[in-house]
Amino acid sequence: MNVEAAAPVKPHIRISRVSKTFKGRKGDVHALSDIDLTIGRGEFVSVVGPSGCGKSTLLMLLSGLTPYSLGKIEVGEKLISSPNSDVGIVFQQDVLLEWRSALQNVLIQAEIRKAPLEAARERARELLKMVSLQDFENAYPKELSGGMRQRVSICRALLHKPPLLLMDEPFGALDAMTRDQLQLDLLRLCADNAMTVFFITHSISEAVFLSDRVVVMSPRPGRVERIIDIDLPRPRRLAMREDLKFTAYTRELTEIFKGLGVFREEV
Amino acid sequence: MNVEAAAPVKPHIRISRVSKTFKGRKGDVHALSDIDLTIGRGEFVSVVGPSGCGKSTLLMLLSGLTPYSLGKIEVGEKLISSPNSDVGIVFQQDVLLEWRSALQNVLIQAEIRKAPLEAARERARELLKMVSLQDFENAYPKELSGGMRQRVSICRALLHKPPLLLMDEPFGALDAMTRDQLQLDLLRLCADNAMTVFFITHSISEAVFLSDRVVVMSPRPGRVERIIDIDLPRPRRLAMREDLKFTAYTRELTEIFKGLGVFREEV
Amino acid sequence: MATITEAAPPAHPLRLSLRVLGNISPAFWTLVLLVVLWELAVQINQVPVYILPAPSRVAAEIIDYWPRLMINAGVTVSEILIGFGCAIAVGVPLAVLVTYSRVAERAIYPLIVASQTIPKVAIAPLLMAWFGYGLTPKIVIVVLLSFFPIVINSVVGLKASSAEMLYLAQSMGATPWQTFWKFRLPQALPYIFAGLKLATVLAVIGAVVAEFIGADRGLGYVIVVAGSSFNIARQFAAIIVISAIGMVFFVIIELLERLVVPWKNTAVVASE
Amino acid sequence: MATITEAAPPAHPLRLSLRVLGNISPAFWTLVLLVVLWELAVQINQVPVYILPAPSRVAAEIIDYWPRLMINAGVTVSEILIGFGCAIAVGVPLAVLVTYSRVAERAIYPLIVASQTIPKVAIAPLLMAWFGYGLTPKIVIVVLLSFFPIVINSVVGLKASSAEMLYLAQSMGATPWQTFWKFRLPQALPYIFAGLKLATVLAVIGAVVAEFIGADRGLGYVIVVAGSSFNIARQFAAIIVISAIGMVFFVIIELLERLVVPWKNTAVVASE
Amino acid sequence: QELTPVTVRLAFLAGGIDAPFFVALGKGYFEEEGLDVEIIDGDGSTGTIQAVGNGSVQLGNAGLGALVQASAAADFDNITAVFGLVQKDPSAIIALEGSGITEPKDIEGKRFATEAGNLSDGMITAFAEVNGIDMDTVEIIITDSYQQALLRGDADFINGWANPDGDHVAAFSPIEEPILFADHGVNLLGSSVIVRKDWLAEHEELVRGYLRALTKAHADVQADPQEALEYFMQARPDADAEAIAQEIEVMEKYRHTASTEGKPFGYVDLADLELTISLLETYADVEPGEITPDEVYTDAYLPAAE
Ligand SMILES: Nc1ncnc2c1ncn2[C@@H]1O[C@H](COP(=O)(O)OP(=O)(O)OP(=O)(O)O)[C@@H](O)[C@H]1O
Ligand SMILES: Nc1ncnc2c1ncn2[C@@H]1O[C@H](COP(=O)(O)OP(=O)(O)OP(=O)(O)O)[C@@H](O)[C@H]1O
Ligand SMILES: [Mg+2]
Ligand SMILES: [Mg+2]
């Protein structure tokens, strides 16, 4: 079933036969099995798959934050065996530092990287404005709604214009409108900065709308079930979602999903 | 603009002119303004609105966990002025106790309520099976994926068959298929137990699919912008989402949303 | 049934300090009550002064002996402050070492524990032999007594950082120093402050005990000398000044905590 | 650069204890090293026994005096255990009171602090007058010395519960007792255990100090008696037995922690 | 016969000088007098006076000088001594051999290590003044480990008991003959049996019996020091037997002053007591005339001389 799509020109990420097993008290959990995936430089790849199939785990392996059990991951020319700091990550849980205001939470990225602070502050303000949080720069995480916290963590990941962006359901807590807006903003930023994006989502239409390729993962142990090339023109426009081609893609993905047997019969 | 839909027969919840202001270091945040809403017994009401508009705040007021600044909230015949324990709540962040396994996290509901433990364990197992976590009963929260954690917290809220269910984006971290499945399961449980449900979501189609009425809130300070009666037959079937009536509702809601001006012009 | 209260907004530092000072009052009244009871107990039972002097008698002694009490208090306070400072300077880095290095944890930790269980009074001759008879052995004793809670609590605090937060730090390429300074330390502050509070009282005790063993000034010395000449009222006067120093010190650390860890002073859910 | 390690899986209690025992070894080797250095220092510098007896000399004394050391150790250990038990029985409820009642916090807390800064040795005659010369005053001193870290750390721990968690508890109609028992306490355990560890060493010190003042048995008494006849080697023998007791006690509490708070022993991210 | 329970607190940690107490206990002399005695160790006269004063013990050993000073300082007159145990003060200047300190005058310009509490009772000053020593030339080091300070050479002399403190030092390094204060015009009466006057009034016969038992035991100690040591070690197994044996031997010489030499054990000479009081009046803040000998001592309970 593994239909590998045409390999992109300049590979940025190369995942070869990677497996991951979590050792548990009551036996091991086999989270990822034999993953093969190559992502080109500047490519936007989305990952969809049922809950618990190993998407977040794969993202953590890519970032070098968790070690893999078998196989090989290369990012750029580098073999990943320790944390890779040349990335921006949006974690599934917004990991905000509760002792810092929204603005300071974004700025930590610059502080740690020893980037010039004044310019960073400028950019952080712009990013917060982009996600409509200009009025909450000084609010502490406790004083923010779930969606607001998530938006702060997105700004943090974007601050330093990383060459590789890893996003774990970044828009999950946002309403449809804000989400549409941020999707467009994200695409613009990617185009401007030639970022490679590894994007986990639960929304098939979001995946289709944003991506060059969509990876469908099968449930435990997570495998790459199928990779779909999305052949839609760029820049993407919201109106494209009404296109037949677009709906064809979403339908195809939905069918693959259903084929995974995740879905029980209707009761 | 406030178009109050036909009042339901037996009111379960009565919210009258409720406002909520958070006192902050740098001035106050006016989160909710002058909310009026009546929810009938056994009714399924969804709330949609832009991120940060006060949905979670309203839920917290309803549960009595946060005090309101002005107005009156009655649940049943009781004026809410202290925590109401006759509910099941799914919080926006899954609040799992990290020292308890998935099963024990569900069972805490029964332990606190001093319900017979054997029966509760039986039911907890069923619920975990319903959300496909039968293999993870003994896993600790740290060992679960984001979507799995959320599913555990849903089971916890349902364990004691509460007359009133308050859910804050309960399916936000779930893939489309699991989500569909759980929507159906939830509707079945509601019908079986005559539960009243207050349901916050970011998905307009989810709101339409599940609800008797959909409340649209406007951004800060949160107000009730519009209430839409969803006149679709019950039990709902997934196929209904292809109905013209269904799409008409989602379109209407999308238009209202756009009218709120949340949406910036496309860039 | 539980009741709900509004989360108190964090106030301006100055307003805060004032509020904290205001907060002392219930304790003050308890204290007054205790003193009155003590006075009555002594008066009614005719307790002789060499057993337990009445507060009035102690107060008279404090007033009488005020100038010399203050001079000696100055000595004790400076020992406490220097010793406490050194305890922090020793304790926090040690905690960092133990947190970051498993080997250090296993090799050093048990020895620190052992060092704590040694009665300082018993090894006084050693300390005197090594550090002479001046200020140094007192500082050493203060440090030995007070650095332990700083270490233990700092270790627990520094280990309390969530895995997610450390992942975040690593993804930014944070150096160990940055991870410590920007992520672990702020997270650990509530624990560290609990340790500092414990350390304050131990520092006070340490200074006094050190002065018991060999000193020619300080409040501990006053207690010994007053005791040997059976001046119990003066002993109590000195003890009360010591307690006051300890309390002031403790309150200062608490004020500092409120200034340094303001984000903790929100969200209060009081259950009845 | 930081490196990544696999999260260690929580092991079976028995395996755990074995591992912990295994873990002691680095400390053991450091100890051996220290003892060797000590022996060499004494031999080379010809340090007289009245300053610092050589470990060989102390070891000989321990062996020589073993039966009586054990008898006295038994006395001291029982004082420590009873006192420590009482300290927990006093400290934890006090912490609960302070956590739940703002008034208690303001009224009692400062007095507890004050009680800590009073040098116990100085008020020993009072304690003797109140509690006689038997076991009671020793227990009282142990409790007075060791309950404070239990209180302070328990308060910090009980206050560490997140607002969300307390909301959850309230939404289930949890009684204050249930909230305490099922939500706050498990959350507070790491803090409480840090407090208990501090308390162990203070309990040991407390027992020894109490035996200094008025006792005719126990290791503190042995130290005093040996001191009075200038038997420094025997003093050190007793000190070493005391330290050993303290360490064993500390390790027991740590083992207990690993059994009671197993969910903490996961996810280790070591940074170099 | 019903025994009366009595707790006795020694002045210091039990030492050879307390041997009569343990012999009386071990041989049942106290029981013969109707007493059930428990002996507890002390940590100085102050503590014992307090313990007797507040009734936590009935009988105690405390320095008569200390009793005078305490009565004045804390303003009480309800405790009296009834029996002198140590009358010649063993306090002495102790210096290492070769230090050149053999006469009181020799301490001038030297370094002096002592405990804080020891310094404040005024007897050093008294010793200096009586012997024309300029204390301003003496450098004082205050430390509890004064013996070590002397041995290490941090100090030239210390003030301690000629026995056993002097013996302890001598065990490591030979010392000059200790310069006893008592031999140089300054004798503060030492340990005596003290009791609260109200309790005494109710238990006169018991106290007489107690003192009889002590006297009898003291005679036994002198007759058979080895046996006394055995009784002692039975009661205080952690004590250093060798040291105790030596103490039993040498401490006897401090039982009497020159003026009570040949008098029965326990007898206190009025002139000695007056000297003690006057020394304290001159050097230790005791108001002249505030304490009279009969306030702090009575000979009414001494056993009839045999
Ligand atoms: N504890 C608090 N202190 C101060 N302000 C708060 C607090 N909680 C919420 N707010 C503010 O109240 C407003 C409404 O927040 P709320 O969490 O109800 O939003 P929401 O509609 O649930 O948003 P989302 O969809 O992002 O979860 C926000 O502006 C938020 O900043
Ligand atoms: N630390 C851990 N220890 C043990 N098992 C783990 C751990 N983290 C994840 N797992 C397991 O690995 C599998 C994959 O988890 P992962 O978080 O990658 O899923 P996911 O695809 O991101 O799901 P979701 O969409 O719900 O976030 C799950 O079965 C989970 O239980
Ligand atoms: Mg995930
Ligand atoms: Mg919300």
Side-chain angles (χ1 to χ4, degrees):
Chain A
M1 272 274 256
N2 258 24
V3 181
E4 171 79 29
V9 210
K10 285 196 224 155
H12 189 171
I13 299 175
R14 226 192 265 271
I15 307 173
S16 326
R17 322 205 120 257
V18 162
S19 295
K20 171 70 183 178
T21 307
F22 287 103
K23 309 224 174 307
R25 279 152 308 119
K26 314 240 160 100
D28 298 351
V29 176
H30 201 44
L32 290 175
S33 173
D34 224 5
I35 303 285
D36 271 305
L37 186 65
T38 309
I39 301 177
R41 201 167 286 276
E43 206 186 357
F44 197 120
V45 171
S46 289
V47 178
V48 295
S51 170
C53 73
K55 303 180 294 296
S56 303
T57 304
L58 183 55
L59 182 145
M60 294 303 281
L61 298 193
L62 269 184
S63 65
L65 293 170
T66 327
Y68 37 96
S69 313
L70 280 176
K72 194 165 90 169
I73 298 180
E74 287 162 302
V75 173
E77 301 301 291
K78 230 176 57 198
L79 184 74
I80 292 294
S81 62
S82 62
N84 175 8
S85 63
D86 235 10
V87 295
I89 309 186
V90 180
F91 293 95
Q92 190 166 6
Q93 324 265 0
D94 53 81
V95 189
L96 297 187
L97 309 180
E98 58 162 335
W99 54 89
R100 286 174 162 250
S101 68
L103 182 64
Q104 289 173 322
N105 259 293
V106 177
L107 280 176
I108 182 116
Q109 186 79 259
E111 288 175 29
I112 297 295
R113 291 174 191 279
K114 303 217 171 65
L117 266 192
E118 262 325 301
R121 191 185 314 268
E122 194 74 1
R123 181 167 162 82
R125 286 230 167 83
E126 266 166 37
L127 285 169
L128 284 171
K129 180 139 191 237
M130 178 183 92
V131 300
S132 310
L133 286 178
Q134 63 275 19
D135 297 345
F136 289 87
E137 283 180 0
N138 296 315
Y140 280 97
K142 273 193 179 171
E143 300 161 6
L144 298 176
S145 78
M148 291 164 134
R149 294 172 63 105
Q150 201 169 36
R151 281 179 275 163
V152 173
S153 76
I154 293 170
C155 294
R156 183 177 59 199
L158 292 171
L159 185 74
H160 56 305
K161 305 190 184 166
L164 173 59
L165 192 58
L166 307 174
M167 303 179 98
D168 198 346
E169 302 182 32
F171 304 146
L174 300 178
D175 60 287
M177 300 300 130
T178 312
R179 191 167 184 150
D180 285 353
Q181 183 66 61
L182 288 184
Q183 286 173 6
L184 291 171
D185 290 334
L186 177 62
L187 286 177
R188 183 174 46 78
L189 286 171
C190 288
D192 291 357
N193 302 303
M195 277 190 284
T196 307
V197 186
F198 181 88
F199 189 95
I200 298 173
T201 179
H202 279 315
S203 162
I204 287 174
S205 79
E206 183 172 82
V208 173
F209 180 67
L210 293 172
S211 314
D212 297 315
R213 283 192 295 160
V214 176
V215 176
V216 185
M217 286 179 67
S218 65
R220 244 170 340 109
R223 292 172 194 280
V224 174
E225 175 70 21
R226 202 67 159 263
I227 300 177
I228 308 280
D229 269 346
I230 306 297
D231 189 14
L232 291 172
R234 288 195 183 264
R236 306 271 161 94
R237 301 272 163 214
L238 288 183
M240 285 181 191
R241 294 187 298 191
E242 317 290 312
D243 283 6
L244 278 183
K245 215 166 165 190
F246 186 95
T247 34
Y249 280 128
T250 56
R251 187 145 320 132
E252 185 183 353
L253 283 162
T254 311
E255 286 309 317
I256 299 171
F257 241 88
K258 285 193 180 161
L260 294 178
V262 186
F263 193 57
R264 278 185 283 141
E265 275 314 294
E266 202 160 327
V267 242
Chain B
M1 273 274 252
N2 258 26
V3 181
E4 170 79 32
V9 210
K10 284 199 224 153
H12 189 169
I13 298 175
R14 227 192 264 272
I15 306 173
S16 325
R17 321 206 119 256
V18 162
S19 296
K20 170 70 183 178
T21 307
F22 287 102
K23 308 225 176 307
R25 282 151 309 118
K26 314 239 160 102
D28 299 350
V29 175
H30 202 43
L32 290 175
S33 172
D34 224 6
I35 303 286
D36 271 304
L37 186 64
T38 309
I39 300 177
R41 201 167 286 275
E43 207 185 356
F44 197 120
V45 171
S46 288
V47 179
V48 295
S51 169
C53 73
K55 303 179 293 297
S56 302
T57 305
L58 183 56
L59 182 144
M60 293 303 281
L61 299 192
L62 270 183
S63 66
L65 292 171
T66 328
Y68 36 98
S69 312
L70 280 174
K72 197 167 87 171
I73 298 181
E74 287 162 302
V75 173
E77 301 299 292
K78 230 175 58 200
L79 184 73
I80 292 295
S81 62
S82 64
N84 175 10
S85 63
D86 236 10
V87 295
I89 308 187
V90 179
F91 293 94
Q92 189 166 6
Q93 325 266 1
D94 55 82
V95 189
L96 297 187
L97 308 182
E98 58 163 336
W99 55 88
R100 284 172 164 253
S101 68
L103 182 65
Q104 288 173 324
N105 259 293
V106 176
L107 280 176
I108 183 120
Q109 186 79 261
E111 288 175 28
I112 298 294
R113 292 174 192 278
K114 303 214 170 69
L117 265 192
E118 261 326 300
R121 188 184 315 268
E122 193 75 2
R123 183 167 159 80
R125 287 232 167 81
E126 268 166 35
L127 286 168
L128 285 172
K129 177 138 194 238
M130 179 182 92
V131 300
S132 311
L133 287 178
Q134 62 276 18
D135 296 345
F136 289 89
E137 282 180 2
N138 294 317
Y140 279 97
K142 275 192 177 172
E143 300 162 4
L144 298 176
S145 79
M148 291 164 134
R149 295 172 61 107
Q150 201 170 35
R151 283 179 272 163
V152 173
S153 77
I154 294 170
C155 294
R156 183 177 60 199
L158 291 171
L159 185 76
H160 57 304
K161 303 188 185 172
L164 174 59
L165 193 56
L166 306 174
M167 303 179 98
D168 198 345
E169 302 182 30
F171 304 146
L174 301 178
D175 60 288
M177 300 299 127
T178 313
R179 193 166 185 151
D180 285 353
Q181 184 65 59
L182 288 184
Q183 286 174 5
L184 292 172
D185 290 333
L186 176 62
L187 285 177
R188 183 173 45 79
L189 286 171
C190 288
D192 291 356
N193 304 302
M195 278 190 284
T196 308
V197 185
F198 181 88
F199 189 94
I200 298 175
T201 179
H202 279 315
S203 161
I204 288 176
S205 79
E206 182 171 82
V208 173
F209 180 68
L210 293 172
S211 314
D212 297 314
R213 284 191 295 157
V214 176
V215 176
V216 184
M217 287 180 64
S218 66
R220 245 170 343 108
R223 291 171 194 283
V224 174
E225 176 72 21
R226 198 69 158 265
I227 301 178
I228 308 280
D229 271 347
I230 306 297
D231 191 13
L232 292 171
R234 288 193 183 267
R236 304 271 162 92
R237 300 273 164 214
L238 288 183
M240 284 181 191
R241 295 189 297 194
E242 316 290 313
D243 284 6
L244 277 185
K245 218 168 164 189
F246 186 94
T247 35
Y249 280 128
T250 56
R251 189 148 316 134
E252 184 183 355
L253 282 163
T254 311
E255 286 309 317
I256 299 171
F257 240 87
K258 285 193 179 160
L260 294 177
V262 185
F263 192 57
R264 281 184 280 140
E265 275 314 294
E266 202 160 324
V267 241
Chain C
M1 266 293 286
T3 55
I4 32 179
T5 31
E6 286 272 67
H12 182 272
L14 198 90
R15 282 236 313 281
L16 243 174
S17 333
L18 284 174
R19 210 172 59 197
V20 172
L21 286 180
N23 282 355
I24 295 172
S25 63
F28 178 76
W29 291 116
T30 334
L31 227 152
V32 169
L33 185 76
L34 272 186
V35 169
V36 169
L37 284 178
W38 172 6
E39 180 80 41
L40 285 177
V42 171
Q43 301 288 355
I44 290 169
N45 299 322
Q46 297 277 328
V47 178
V49 67
Y50 58 90
I51 302 299
L52 181 62
S56 52
R57 179 82 187 255
V58 176
E61 180 67 27
I62 290 180
I63 293 165
D64 249 31
Y65 203 58
W66 186 252
R68 292 229 43 88
L69 273 177
M70 282 309 98
I71 290 170
N72 285 293
V75 173
T76 307
V77 166
S78 61
E79 288 164 10
I80 293 171
L81 290 183
I82 299 174
F84 188 71
C86 295
I88 295 177
V90 170
V92 174
L94 216 54
V96 174
L97 193 68
V98 167
T99 311
Y100 279 80
S101 150
R102 194 93 186 92
V103 174
E105 175 172 10
R106 297 208 216 153
I108 302 180
Y109 222 32
L111 296 180
I112 300 180
V113 176
S115 80
Q116 287 306 300
T117 51
I118 295 173
K120 306 300 163 293
V121 186
I123 57 161
L126 257 182
L127 294 175
M128 302 274 181
W130 289 345
F131 303 109
Y133 303 91
L135 191 62
T136 325
K138 280 105 196 166
I139 306 293
V140 170
I141 290 182
V142 171
V143 173
L144 277 178
L145 254 93
S146 61
F147 87 104
F148 192 52
I150 301 178
V151 174
I152 288 263
N153 273 26
S154 300
V155 168
V156 176
L158 290 172
K159 285 190 173 177
S161 302
S162 68
E164 286 81 22
M165 192 174 292
L166 296 177
Y167 285 147
L168 175 67
Q170 294 189 333
S171 78
M172 297 177 177
T175 61
W177 177 250
Q178 287 176 320
T179 307
F180 170 72
W181 201 244
K182 305 245 175 192
F183 295 85
R184 282 185 186 263
L185 186 64
Q187 182 85 351
L189 280 176
Y191 292 85
I192 294 178
F193 268 99
L196 290 183
K197 286 183 217 168
L198 289 165
T200 56
V201 303
L202 289 176
V204 173
I205 288 284
V208 173
V209 166
E211 288 167 355
F212 280 174
I213 296 170
D216 52 7
R217 65 197 76 177
L219 291 170
Y221 172 75
V222 170
I223 291 178
V224 175
V225 171
S228 77
S229 58
F230 225 76
N231 192 339
I232 313 293
R234 183 169 298 170
Q235 278 196 313
F236 272 81
I239 289 175
I240 279 169
V241 173
I242 290 166
S243 283
I245 291 171
M247 275 198 280
V248 168
F249 199 6
F250 191 90
V251 169
I252 288 173
I253 298 287
E254 258 193 352
L255 284 176
L256 214 66
E257 178 177 14
R258 290 184 199 219
L259 287 175
V260 176
V261 199
W263 64 89
K264 276 281 167 193
N265 299 317
T266 42
V268 179
V269 181
S271 324
E272 192 197 313
Chain D
M1 266 292 289
T3 55
I4 34 180
T5 30
E6 286 271 68
H12 183 273
L14 197 88
R15 282 237 312 280
L16 244 172
S17 332
L18 283 174
R19 211 172 55 197
V20 171
L21 285 180
N23 283 354
I24 294 172
S25 65
F28 178 75
W29 291 116
T30 334
L31 228 152
V32 168
L33 185 76
L34 272 186
V35 169
V36 169
L37 284 179
W38 170 7
E39 180 80 40
L40 286 178
V42 171
Q43 302 288 356
I44 292 169
N45 298 320
Q46 299 277 328
V47 178
V49 67
Y50 55 83
I51 299 293
L52 180 63
S56 52
R57 178 84 186 257
V58 176
E61 180 67 29
I62 291 181
I63 293 165
D64 247 33
Y65 204 56
W66 185 252
R68 293 233 38 92
L69 274 177
M70 283 307 99
I71 291 169
N72 285 293
V75 173
T76 306
V77 167
S78 62
E79 288 165 11
I80 293 172
L81 289 182
I82 299 173
F84 188 72
C86 294
I88 295 177
V90 170
V92 175
L94 216 54
V96 174
L97 192 68
V98 166
T99 310
Y100 279 80
S101 151
R102 196 91 185 94
V103 174
E105 175 172 9
R106 297 208 216 152
I108 301 178
Y109 221 32
L111 295 181
I112 300 180
V113 176
S115 79
Q116 287 306 300
T117 53
I118 295 173
K120 306 298 163 298
V121 185
I123 57 162
L126 256 179
L127 293 175
M128 301 289 177
W130 288 345
F131 302 109
Y133 292 91
L135 192 62
T136 326
K138 279 108 196 162
I139 304 293
V140 170
I141 289 181
V142 172
V143 173
L144 276 178
L145 254 92
S146 62
F147 86 106
F148 192 51
I150 300 178
V151 174
I152 289 263
N153 273 25
S154 301
V155 167
V156 176
L158 291 172
K159 284 189 172 177
S161 302
S162 68
E164 287 80 23
M165 193 175 289
L166 296 176
Y167 284 147
L168 175 68
Q170 293 187 336
S171 77
M172 296 178 177
T175 60
W177 177 250
Q178 287 177 318
T179 306
F180 170 74
W181 202 243
K182 304 244 175 192
F183 295 84
R184 282 184 186 263
L185 186 64
Q187 182 85 354
L189 281 176
Y191 292 85
I192 293 178
F193 268 99
L196 289 183
K197 285 183 218 168
L198 289 166
T200 55
V201 303
L202 289 175
V204 172
I205 288 284
V208 173
V209 166
E211 288 167 354
F212 281 174
I213 298 168
D216 54 7
R217 65 197 76 175
L219 291 169
Y221 171 76
V222 170
I223 291 178
V224 177
V225 171
S228 80
S229 55
F230 221 60
N231 191 338
I232 313 291
R234 184 170 295 171
Q235 279 195 312
F236 272 80
I239 289 175
I240 280 169
V241 174
I242 290 165
S243 284
I245 292 171
M247 276 197 280
V248 169
F249 198 5
F250 190 90
V251 168
I252 288 173
I253 298 287
E254 259 193 353
L255 283 177
L256 215 66
E257 178 177 14
R258 291 185 196 216
L259 287 177
V260 175
V261 199
W263 64 88
K264 276 280 165 194
N265 299 318
T266 40
V268 179
V269 181
S271 326
E272 195 194 312
Chain E
Q1 186 199 348
E2 195 65 11
L3 296 183
T4 309
V6 174
T7 309
V8 176
R9 192 178 198 265
L10 304 178
F12 298 96
L13 226 47
I17 195 140
D18 302 306
F21 290 84
F22 295 101
V23 169
L25 186 71
K27 294 181 118 173
Y29 294 168
F30 288 138
E31 271 174 51
E32 285 166 19
E33 301 290 351
L35 290 157
D36 174 14
V37 169
E38 185 194 358
I39 302 169
I40 58 183
D41 291 5
D43 63 350
S45 294
T46 305
T48 300
I49 294 168
Q50 276 175 300
V52 170
N54 70 33
S56 50
V57 303
Q58 292 74 42
L59 292 155
N61 296 356
L64 237 176
L67 180 61
V68 171
Q69 207 178 357
S71 305
D75 202 18
F76 64 86
D77 63 352
N78 63 343
I79 298 176
T80 184
V82 292
F83 197 85
L85 293 164
V86 178
Q87 304 210 36
K88 182 172 177 182
D89 186 359
S91 284
I93 298 294
I94 300 167
L96 296 184
E97 204 175 62
S99 62
I101 300 176
T102 50
E103 290 294 319
K105 261 296 210 184
D106 296 339
I107 67 173
E108 278 187 352
K110 297 288 188 338
R111 294 164 304 158
F112 171 35
T114 185
E115 299 171 295
N118 188 35
L119 202 60
S120 61
D121 72 0
M123 287 312 103
I124 308 271
T125 325
F127 174 74
E129 225 158 275
V130 169
N131 295 286
I133 299 163
D134 180 5
M135 275 308 276
D136 290 342
T137 64
V138 174
E139 184 192 329
I140 298 174
I141 300 164
I142 296 188
T143 169
D144 273 13
S145 41
Y146 52 94
Q147 291 156 317
Q148 282 96 337
L150 178 67
L151 282 165
R152 277 167 50 83
D154 290 343
D156 301 311
F157 70 98
I158 59 175
N159 170 211
W161 280 14
N163 312 92
D165 295 351
D167 302 328
H168 294 156
V169 176
F172 291 99
S173 176
I175 57 172
E176 298 287 355
E177 184 61 32
I179 306 166
L180 280 162
F181 285 14
D183 294 339
H184 291 85
V186 179
N187 188 37
L188 221 49
L189 284 170
S191 243
S192 56
V193 172
I194 63 165
V195 57
R196 219 159 76 176
K197 288 176 182 167
D198 53 351
W199 190 83
L200 177 60
E202 287 164 28
H203 301 89
E204 292 190 309
E205 273 322 303
L206 278 184
V207 172
R208 285 205 175 87
Y210 174 73
L211 298 179
R212 261 198 307 276
L214 272 185
T215 308
K216 197 164 154 200
H218 179 244
D220 289 0
V221 172
Q222 284 181 307
D224 188 352
Q226 188 52 40
E227 179 201 56
L229 177 65
E230 274 158 30
Y231 283 114
F232 187 98
M233 292 309 295
Q234 214 173 308
R236 293 291 184 269
D238 291 306
D240 185 326
E242 233 172 280
I244 298 296
Q246 197 192 359
E247 282 172 33
I248 291 175
E249 204 81 1
V250 302
M251 294 308 283
E252 275 310 311
K253 62 179 178 235
Y254 301 109
R255 296 284 188 204
H256 295 283
T257 60
S259 42
T260 61
E261 205 58 63
K263 296 275 169 41
F265 181 42
Y267 176 82
V268 175
D269 187 81
L270 202 62
D272 287 340
L273 183 52
E274 275 165 354
L275 172 65
T276 294
I277 292 173
S278 82
L279 279 170
L280 290 169
E281 284 172 351
T282 318
Y283 300 105
D285 291 337
V286 175
E287 292 269 322
E290 189 182 345
I291 306 293
T292 55
D294 56 331
E295 249 178 82
V296 292
Y297 176 73
T298 168
D299 60 4
Y301 301 90
L302 286 177
E306 273 142 55

